Amino acid sequence: MLGDITIAQEIYIACGYTDMRKSIDGLAALVQESMGLNPFGPALYLFCGKRRDRIKALLWEGDGFVLLYKRLENGNYKWPRTKNEVRTLSWKEFRWLLEGLSVDQPRAIKPVEPGDFC
């Protein structure tokens, strides 16, 4: 299905600035060379430019890439700006990002890992 991001098993965010003039081939090359990941995997890759008012998402659907582009008319994304860092996001953090919130919510209830019990 065209642009069904729910098929992504992981979400990766390219922290820092990305040249938003890049299209599918350029972003796929960034995923492979700079991020060290496989752009043909079942993952959603997110990119943001300096202005932080637009994002691009790259997704492999098995028979081709889908490039999603969103531009905000008001406001900007709270994009992590640590250069040359790649991090994974949960679906909850992804939703926060799209809602204009930071992906690092200090008051969010974090899931408990099985090894956390005494």
Side-chain angles (χ1 to χ4, degrees):
M1 176 175 234
L2 183 62
D4 181 12
I5 64 171
T6 61
I7 65 170
Q9 295 175 5
E10 295 180 284
I11 303 170
Y12 293 99
I13 183 171
C15 300
Y17 303 114
T18 301
D19 181 354
M20 296 303 280
R21 296 173 295 177
K22 291 188 183 298
S23 192
I24 290 173
D25 293 334
L27 294 174
L30 274 179
V31 169
Q32 192 167 21
E33 296 167 9
S34 299
M35 299 168 89
L37 299 168
N38 179 10
F40 299 99
L44 182 67
Y45 301 97
L46 304 173
F47 307 91
C48 185
K50 285 185 179 181
R51 292 172 41 183
R52 298 181 306 151
D53 66 342
R54 53 198 78 197
I55 61 172
K56 285 188 178 181
L58 185 67
L59 176 69
W60 174 254
E61 287 193 325
D63 60 353
F65 283 105
V66 173
L67 180 63
L68 302 168
Y69 182 80
K70 182 171 183 178
R71 183 187 73 199
L72 295 175
E73 292 300 320
N74 187 18
N76 56 36
Y77 295 105
K78 307 301 182 230
W79 201 265
R81 291 299 182 187
T82 307
K83 292 182 180 180
N84 299 323
E85 181 185 345
V86 176
R87 69 183 274 187
T88 58
L89 295 181
S90 67
W91 284 100
K92 183 187 296 186
E93 291 167 331
F94 176 63
R95 189 181 70 244
W96 289 340
L97 182 70
L98 293 183
E99 291 173 355
L101 301 172
S102 169
V103 294
D104 297 314
Q105 291 294 311
R107 294 182 173 226
I109 297 173
K110 306 293 183 195
V112 177
E113 298 296 322
D116 291 343
F117 297 105
C118 296

